[in-house]
Amino acid sequence: MKTKINWIEKMAFSSITPSGHEIKMDASEEVGGTNSGARPTELLLNAVAGCTGIDIISILTKMRLSPTKFHMDVEGQRADDHPKKFTEIHIHYALEGDLPEDKVIRAIQLSLDKYCSVSHSLSATIHTSYSINSEETKGI
């Protein structure tokens, strides 16, 4: 996989992904950017959640299960000192539908333990929790 990222001005960059989608990145005004795009660290959190979300939907589909709704709440903690890497990431998976709890747990575990290449590319500890049909939040 290859990509080319072009500098626009100040701290702003733009890229066309290998799949043909544009990504704009920039820094905040406080550090010399113009806030014209997402921060790379924001994209990283979205990439982890998106990767696991795609895996979970794929796995549940193979189990012949179809969520009626699905969203993720993601929170990342970063180190105070440079390089200020993510040290912990928490993803809460909120699913709705006729979904057996054991199957949801299995799909989440398979994604994080085996399939999600993004999470396996990080050194952060990833914690997860889930809810099904707005039932009590549970951790894995």
Side-chain angles (χ1 to χ4, degrees), residues 3 19 27 31 47 49 81 89 93 98 101-102 132:
T3 190
S19 57
V31 297
D81 297 323
I89 296 171
Y93 302 99
D98 185 16
E101 183 177 8
D102 62 327
I132 302 171

Side-chain angles (χ1 to χ4, degrees), residues 49-64:
C51 183
T52 62
I54 289 169
D55 287 343
I56 290 165
I57 291 296
S58 175
I59 293 164
L60 290 175
T61 299
K62 289 176 184 168
M63 293 177 179
R64 293 182 169 82

